[in-house]
Amino acid sequence: MYRHSVIHLPFCKSIRFHLSFLAVFLLLVSLPALAQSVQVSGTIKDPDQSVVGNAVVSLENLQTTRTFQAATNESGQYVFTSVPQGTYRLEAHKPGFAAIVVPSLTISAGQNLTRDLSFALAGTSASVTVNAGQTGTAAEGYYVDHVNQGVLGNAPIVNQPYTITVLPADEIVNTQVKSFRDAMKYLPLVSFTEQQGSEILRPATRGVQGSIAQNTRMDGMAIAITGGNAMEQYQSLQVENGLGASMYGPANPSGMFDFMLKRPTEERFTNIYLEQDSSSIGTIYADTGGRLGPHKIFGYRSNLLFGDGTAFVDQSRLRRRLAEFAFDLRPTDRTVIDAHYSAYDIIQRGYPGWFTYGPDKSDKTDTPPRTLLLLAAPDPTRVGYGQAYAGVNLTTQSTSVRLLHDFSPNWHAMAGGLAQRLDRFIDTPVNNLTDNTGDYSTSLATGFAPRFGVESDLGYITGVIQKWGIKQDVVAGSEGYRFNQYAYTSPAAANVLLGTANIANPKIFAPPVVGLPQNKGLYQSSVVHQQGFNLGDLVSFRNRFLVRLAASQDWIGVDNNSATARTSGSNKQGISPSASVMYKPTSWSTAYATYASSLQQGDIAPGGATLVNANQALAPYRSKEWELGFKTDAHPIAFTTALFRLERPFADTIPFNNSPTQTIFAIVGQQVNYGAEISGQGTLFHSLLLNGGFTALNARLNNTNVASTEGKRFVGIPDYKSNLLAEYRLPGVVNLNITGDWQFVGQRPQDDQNLHTTVGYNTFDFGFRYSHAFFTKVATLRFTCDNITDTRYYSTIAAGDITGTNASSNTAHLGAPRTISTSLQFAF
């Protein structure tokens, strides 16, 4: 889903609704600034001397009873401007802490006053989590210093010999992220390939596309990714670049994406969000949590969402519905049993379809023939590239249960299971280019898997052993999954053909005479079983030299089926090892070298009437990676840099037994990617937040057996890519942040022979965030205009014919146009 819906009226009219919010905002912040009186300010901290954000502070004049109110920002700072002289009562409140009361505070004319405060816990038995001041907040530049590393448990990022980035909850909320596609903009070293629309995509790092289930996890347990995924239900998304099979089990080197669910909180809270995307999509969203019972043994968390309206194209439709519930029980002070259930449903209709382009049939001289030219990206708001009756209906249901136990402060255990079902109805228009002047034929998409099912498990024990001056962080674990893919009998091509048009003159087509396609006659086309055992040891010598060894012994089985019987299968077992050497020149920095090798599940063949192994899984194969890097903790910016080289087999559709009418999906060559990446997160001068990264990548094809494609760059992968998010706390106006984002994507090859290239593009976003206290509650207004220059671009260009030897088509998806979003959050 495109995160926000873009206005299709003239720009000056389209922001009328949002300007009303802006007017209210300007009124709130400008009136106090006009007065020339005393300023009262200070910083509030907790008992551990961490700053406390969103505390409500009041200043009451004891003579006139006039009361001023404010809220602390992410740095724990509060400011009252234009305060007349007099004697005041100062109070500060925050759930979980005892109220702070300064009964008498004298304010003299012409002299600003600074008064710092410190909270005490509300009770000796209270257990309070203070969000502000911890990692992942805007005050920390959204930097997170620890991650849950698969079976290795909670670990400092600075001690991990991999590139690891995290998108925390505060950043998800403040950037108004709604979908997985939105989220990846703020993970600058991450990219994606759209499959059948903006909600159905595969993530990637270092130029390698992820699998459906190999590379994605929920709380460490495998899930399928190519379906609807609401980011509102997650506490964070953590990404490990490259090959992580020794910790997560067999996977290709596209990285590991672990979605961490929101869990019950120590203190009761409720957040209500009222959101407006463009001029017509309205959303209401509630996030609530807390604990009940004696000693707070029962915890709860709920995320409920409903959104509906017209998107950025006339007659389009977007509807989102989410219900997520998480519970936990603490039978002892060392044991937690938690569970969750979530159901997410999304409907997109009338969005632009994608473009496909294959060999130029007029080329009679080249072998293989040249690929058609992909023209410059058109206006995605124009009616006709999609059809109002066509799109996607996606439903994702997930359930998980976990048992967590602490044997001691150094020894921990976890065991859990997860079940997920993805139902997918896909009939998005496919616009197939037929010449280099922009002519195309439109058909409804068919043949894509209508359902996925995943059952996964995870269990591990972690501990610390210290002897003879050597520290060892050890782990023993097991994890695996069963991945089920379904297929159905696709309608004949003639039954879904809509008509012909031109990019310069798109058309609205009548629905097919025989009716829209339906998912009928589903059968289980393939089943992949994967289970492994993990062992790991991080050895520390005098806290300077570290050696990390890890391995996963795994078994992978594949069964391929037709509608009536099993047709083929394979079984393979092997070890996926990794070894790293680290040196820490300081306690907050690490230099490292890593080698990893991974067995991985074979790719799933696409659908198609001519494909002899359509929708079936290939036998497993192996990838390798080498990495050198250096990283620091936040001082005040956390940096990560890495040089890497990876290689993996790649599969493609090729002629079957030299048949002119039949093809097969098979391993045909090797992809070799090498490059460099750098990222940084943190704050400068206590007021400027920076969060960004840059990737330089050379992705090449080898052993293609076709001279014109040998050694050529991989289709759709840019040489350079970057993103920079910045926030500036405006001096003199408390709780006001000006935000901006700059994304750059370099040139991308359009075809296997690298004859055509799509120009690079830039997009710019601008917005603000302002918090204000109303009585004892805090309200936060967020305003964002994405792609403010309304740049037209292709968000995805993906390979079809990797070796250039068949008639498959490459794909291109249109990027989102100018987008305006507003949200108002009430914290209770």
Coordinates of all heavy atoms in Angstrom, one line a residue, residues 398-447:
S398 N -2.3 -14.1 12.0 CA -1.1 -14.6 12.6 C -1.5 -14.9 14.1 O -2.2 -14.1 14.7 CB 0.1 -13.7 12.6 OG 0.4 -13.4 11.2
T399 N -0.9 -16.0 14.6 CA -1.1 -16.4 16.0 C 0.3 -16.9 16.5 O 1.0 -17.7 15.8 CB -2.1 -17.5 16.2 OG1 -3.4 -17.0 15.6 CG2 -2.3 -17.8 17.7
S400 N 0.7 -16.5 17.7 CA 1.9 -17.0 18.3 C 1.8 -17.2 19.8 O 1.0 -16.5 20.4 CB 3.1 -16.1 18.0 OG 2.9 -14.8 18.6
V401 N 2.6 -18.1 20.3 CA 2.7 -18.3 21.8 C 4.1 -18.5 22.1 O 4.9 -19.2 21.4 CB 1.9 -19.6 22.2 CG1 2.0 -19.8 23.7 CG2 0.4 -19.5 21.8
R402 N 4.5 -17.9 23.2 CA 5.9 -18.1 23.7 C 6.0 -18.3 25.2 O 5.1 -17.8 26.0 CB 6.7 -16.8 23.3 CG 6.8 -16.4 21.9 CD 7.8 -15.3 21.7 NE 7.4 -14.1 22.5 CZ 8.2 -13.0 22.6 NH1 9.4 -13.0 22.0 NH2 7.9 -12.0 23.4
L403 N 7.0 -19.0 25.6 CA 7.4 -19.2 27.0 C 8.8 -18.6 27.2 O 9.7 -19.1 26.5 CB 7.3 -20.6 27.4 CG 7.9 -21.0 28.8 CD1 7.0 -20.3 29.9 CD2 7.9 -22.5 29.0
L404 N 9.0 -17.7 28.1 CA 10.3 -17.1 28.4 C 10.6 -17.3 29.9 O 9.8 -17.0 30.7 CB 10.3 -15.6 28.0 CG 10.0 -15.2 26.6 CD1 8.5 -14.8 26.4 CD2 10.9 -14.1 26.1
H405 N 11.8 -17.7 30.1 CA 12.2 -18.0 31.5 C 13.6 -17.6 31.8 O 14.5 -17.9 30.9 CB 12.0 -19.5 31.8 CG 12.4 -19.8 33.3 ND1 11.6 -19.5 34.3 CD2 13.5 -20.5 33.8 CE1 12.1 -19.9 35.4 NE2 13.3 -20.5 35.2
D406 N 13.9 -17.0 32.9 CA 15.2 -16.6 33.3 C 15.7 -17.5 34.5 O 15.1 -17.5 35.6 CB 15.2 -15.1 33.9 CG 14.9 -14.1 32.8 OD1 15.1 -14.4 31.6 OD2 14.3 -13.1 33.1
F407 N 16.7 -18.4 34.2 CA 17.2 -19.2 35.2 C 18.0 -18.5 36.2 O 18.1 -18.8 37.4 CB 18.1 -20.3 34.5 CG 17.3 -21.2 33.6 CD1 17.4 -21.1 32.2 CD2 16.5 -22.2 34.1 CE1 16.8 -21.9 31.4 CE2 15.8 -23.1 33.3 CZ 15.9 -22.9 31.9
S408 N 18.7 -17.4 35.7 CA 19.5 -16.5 36.5 C 19.7 -15.2 35.7 O 19.2 -15.1 34.6 CB 20.8 -17.2 36.8 OG 21.6 -17.2 35.7
P409 N 20.4 -14.3 36.3 CA 20.6 -13.0 35.5 C 21.4 -13.3 34.2 O 21.3 -12.5 33.3 CB 21.4 -12.2 36.5 CG 21.0 -12.6 37.9 CD 20.8 -14.1 37.7
N410 N 22.1 -14.4 34.1 CA 22.9 -14.6 33.0 C 22.4 -15.8 32.1 O 23.0 -16.0 31.0 CB 24.4 -15.0 33.4 CG 25.1 -13.8 33.9 OD1 24.8 -12.6 33.5 ND2 26.0 -14.0 34.8
W411 N 21.4 -16.5 32.5 CA 21.0 -17.7 31.7 C 19.5 -17.5 31.5 O 18.7 -17.3 32.4 CB 21.3 -19.0 32.4 CG 22.7 -19.3 32.4 CD1 23.7 -18.9 33.3 CD2 23.4 -20.1 31.4 NE1 24.9 -19.4 32.9 CE2 24.7 -20.2 31.8 CE3 22.9 -20.8 30.3 CZ2 25.7 -20.9 31.0 CZ3 23.9 -21.5 29.5 CH2 25.2 -21.5 29.9
H412 N 19.1 -17.6 30.2 CA 17.7 -17.4 29.7 C 17.3 -18.4 28.7 O 18.1 -19.0 28.0 CB 17.6 -16.0 29.1 CG 18.3 -14.9 29.8 ND1 17.7 -14.3 30.9 CD2 19.5 -14.4 29.7 CE1 18.6 -13.4 31.4 NE2 19.7 -13.4 30.7
A413 N 16.0 -18.7 28.7 CA 15.5 -19.7 27.7 C 14.2 -19.1 27.1 O 13.4 -18.3 27.7 CB 15.2 -21.0 28.4
M414 N 13.9 -19.6 25.9 CA 12.7 -19.2 25.2 C 12.2 -20.3 24.3 O 13.1 -21.0 23.7 CB 12.9 -17.9 24.3 CG 11.7 -17.5 23.5 SD 11.6 -18.2 21.9 CE 10.3 -17.3 21.2
A415 N 10.9 -20.6 24.2 CA 10.3 -21.6 23.3 C 9.0 -21.0 22.8 O 8.3 -20.4 23.6 CB 10.1 -22.9 24.0
G416 N 8.8 -21.1 21.5 CA 7.6 -20.5 20.9 C 7.2 -21.2 19.6 O 8.0 -21.9 19.0
G417 N 6.0 -20.9 19.2 CA 5.5 -21.4 18.0 C 4.6 -20.3 17.3 O 4.0 -19.5 18.0
L418 N 4.5 -20.3 16.0 CA 3.7 -19.3 15.3 C 3.0 -20.0 14.1 O 3.6 -20.9 13.5 CB 4.6 -18.2 14.8 CG 4.0 -17.0 14.0 CD1 4.7 -15.7 14.3 CD2 4.0 -17.3 12.5
A419 N 1.8 -19.6 13.9 CA 1.0 -20.0 12.7 C 0.5 -18.8 11.9 O 0.0 -17.8 12.6 CB -0.1 -20.9 13.1
Q420 N 0.6 -18.8 10.6 CA 0.2 -17.7 9.8 C -0.5 -18.2 8.5 O -0.1 -19.2 8.0 CB 1.4 -16.8 9.4 CG 1.0 -15.5 8.7 CD 2.3 -14.8 8.2 OE1 3.1 -15.3 7.5 NE2 2.4 -13.5 8.6
R421 N -1.5 -17.4 8.1 CA -2.2 -17.7 6.9 C -2.4 -16.4 6.1 O -2.9 -15.4 6.6 CB -3.6 -18.4 7.1 CG -4.4 -18.5 5.9 CD -5.7 -19.3 6.1 NE -6.7 -19.1 5.1 CZ -7.8 -19.9 4.9 NH1 -8.0 -20.9 5.8 NH2 -8.6 -19.6 4.0
L422 N -2.0 -16.4 4.8 CA -2.1 -15.3 3.9 C -3.0 -15.7 2.8 O -2.7 -16.6 2.0 CB -0.8 -14.9 3.3 CG 0.1 -13.9 4.1 CD1 0.7 -14.6 5.4 CD2 1.3 -13.4 3.3
D423 N -4.2 -15.0 2.7 CA -5.1 -15.2 1.5 C -4.9 -14.0 0.6 O -5.0 -12.8 1.1 CB -6.5 -15.3 2.0 CG -6.8 -16.7 2.7 OD1 -6.8 -17.7 2.0 OD2 -6.9 -16.7 4.0
R424 N -4.8 -14.3 -0.7 CA -4.5 -13.2 -1.6 C -5.4 -13.4 -2.9 O -5.3 -14.4 -3.5 CB -3.0 -13.3 -2.1 CG -2.0 -13.6 -0.9 CD -0.6 -13.4 -1.3 NE -0.3 -14.1 -2.6 CZ 0.8 -13.8 -3.3 NH1 1.6 -12.9 -2.9 NH2 1.0 -14.4 -4.4
F425 N -6.2 -12.3 -3.1 CA -6.9 -12.2 -4.4 C -6.3 -11.1 -5.2 O -6.3 -10.0 -4.8 CB -8.4 -12.0 -4.2 CG -9.1 -11.9 -5.5 CD1 -9.4 -13.0 -6.2 CD2 -9.5 -10.6 -6.0 CE1 -10.1 -12.8 -7.5 CE2 -10.1 -10.5 -7.2 CZ -10.4 -11.6 -7.9
I426 N -5.7 -11.4 -6.4 CA -4.9 -10.5 -7.2 C -5.5 -10.5 -8.6 O -5.4 -11.5 -9.3 CB -3.4 -10.9 -7.2 CG1 -2.9 -11.0 -5.7 CG2 -2.6 -9.9 -8.0 CD1 -1.5 -11.6 -5.6
D427 N -6.0 -9.4 -9.0 CA -6.4 -9.2 -10.4 C -6.0 -7.8 -10.9 O -6.7 -7.2 -11.7 CB -7.9 -9.5 -10.6 CG -8.8 -8.5 -9.9 OD1 -8.3 -7.7 -9.1 OD2 -10.0 -8.6 -10.1
T428 N -4.9 -7.3 -10.4 CA -4.4 -6.0 -10.8 C -4.2 -5.9 -12.3 O -3.7 -6.9 -12.9 CB -3.1 -5.7 -10.1 OG1 -3.3 -5.8 -8.7 CG2 -2.6 -4.2 -10.3
P429 N -4.5 -4.8 -13.0 CA -4.2 -4.7 -14.4 C -2.7 -4.8 -14.7 O -1.9 -4.2 -14.0 CB -4.7 -3.3 -14.8 CG -5.8 -3.0 -13.8 CD -5.2 -3.7 -12.5
V430 N -2.3 -5.5 -15.8 CA -0.9 -5.6 -16.2 C -0.9 -5.0 -17.6 O -1.5 -5.4 -18.5 CB -0.5 -7.1 -16.3 CG1 1.0 -7.2 -16.8 CG2 -0.6 -7.8 -15.0
N431 N -0.1 -3.9 -17.7 CA 0.1 -3.2 -19.0 C 1.3 -3.6 -19.7 O 2.4 -3.2 -19.3 CB 0.1 -1.7 -18.7 CG -1.1 -1.2 -17.9 OD1 -2.3 -1.6 -18.2 ND2 -0.9 -0.4 -16.8
N432 N 1.2 -4.4 -20.7 CA 2.3 -5.0 -21.4 C 2.7 -4.2 -22.6 O 1.9 -4.1 -23.6 CB 2.0 -6.4 -21.9 CG 3.1 -7.1 -22.5 OD1 4.3 -7.0 -22.1 ND2 2.9 -7.9 -23.6
L433 N 3.9 -3.5 -22.6 CA 4.3 -2.7 -23.7 C 4.6 -3.5 -24.9 O 5.2 -4.6 -24.8 CB 5.6 -2.0 -23.3 CG 5.5 -0.9 -22.1 CD1 6.8 -0.4 -21.7 CD2 4.6 0.2 -22.6
T434 N 4.1 -3.0 -26.1 CA 4.3 -3.8 -27.3 C 5.2 -3.1 -28.3 O 5.5 -3.7 -29.3 CB 2.9 -4.0 -27.9 OG1 2.3 -2.7 -28.1 CG2 2.0 -4.9 -27.0
D435 N 5.6 -1.9 -28.1 CA 6.6 -1.2 -29.0 C 7.3 -0.1 -28.2 O 7.0 0.1 -27.0 CB 5.9 -0.7 -30.2 CG 4.7 0.3 -29.9 OD1 4.9 1.1 -29.0 OD2 3.7 0.2 -30.6
N436 N 8.2 0.6 -28.9 CA 8.9 1.7 -28.2 C 8.3 3.0 -28.3 O 8.9 4.0 -27.9 CB 10.3 1.8 -28.8 CG 11.2 0.6 -28.4 OD1 11.1 0.1 -27.3 ND2 12.1 0.2 -29.3
T437 N 7.0 3.1 -28.7 CA 6.3 4.3 -28.7 C 5.3 4.4 -27.6 O 4.5 5.4 -27.5 CB 5.6 4.5 -30.1 OG1 4.6 3.5 -30.2 CG2 6.6 4.5 -31.2
G438 N 5.2 3.4 -26.7 CA 4.3 3.5 -25.5 C 3.0 2.7 -25.7 O 2.2 2.8 -24.8
D439 N 2.8 2.0 -26.8 CA 1.6 1.2 -27.0 C 1.7 0.0 -26.0 O 2.7 -0.6 -25.8 CB 1.4 0.7 -28.4 CG 1.2 1.8 -29.4 OD1 0.4 2.8 -29.0 OD2 1.7 1.8 -30.5
Y440 N 0.5 -0.3 -25.4 CA 0.5 -1.5 -24.6 C -0.9 -2.2 -24.6 O -1.9 -1.6 -25.0 CB 0.8 -1.1 -23.1 CG -0.2 -0.2 -22.5 CD1 -1.3 -0.6 -21.8 CD2 0.1 1.2 -22.4 CE1 -2.2 0.2 -21.2 CE2 -0.8 2.1 -21.8 CZ -2.0 1.6 -21.2 OH -2.9 2.5 -20.6
S441 N -0.9 -3.4 -24.2 CA -2.2 -4.2 -24.1 C -2.4 -4.5 -22.6 O -1.4 -4.7 -21.9 CB -2.1 -5.5 -24.9 OG -1.1 -6.4 -24.4
T442 N -3.6 -4.4 -22.2 CA -3.9 -4.6 -20.7 C -4.7 -5.9 -20.5 O -5.7 -6.1 -21.2 CB -4.7 -3.4 -20.2 OG1 -4.0 -2.2 -20.4 CG2 -5.1 -3.5 -18.8
S443 N -4.2 -6.6 -19.5 CA -4.9 -7.8 -19.1 C -5.0 -7.8 -17.5 O -4.2 -7.1 -16.9 CB -4.2 -9.1 -19.5 OG -4.2 -9.2 -20.9
L444 N -5.9 -8.6 -17.0 CA -5.9 -8.7 -15.5 C -4.9 -9.8 -15.1 O -4.8 -10.8 -15.7 CB -7.4 -9.1 -15.1 CG -8.5 -8.1 -15.3 CD1 -9.8 -8.6 -14.8 CD2 -8.1 -6.7 -14.7
A445 N -4.2 -9.5 -14.0 CA -3.2 -10.5 -13.5 C -3.9 -11.7 -13.0 O -4.9 -11.7 -12.3 CB -2.5 -9.8 -12.4
T446 N -3.3 -12.9 -13.4 CA -3.8 -14.2 -12.9 C -2.6 -15.1 -12.6 O -1.5 -14.8 -13.1 CB -4.8 -14.8 -13.9 OG1 -4.0 -15.1 -15.1 CG2 -6.0 -14.0 -14.2
G447 N -2.8 -16.2 -12.0 CA -1.8 -17.2 -11.9 C -0.9 -17.0 -10.6 O 0.0 -17.9 -10.4

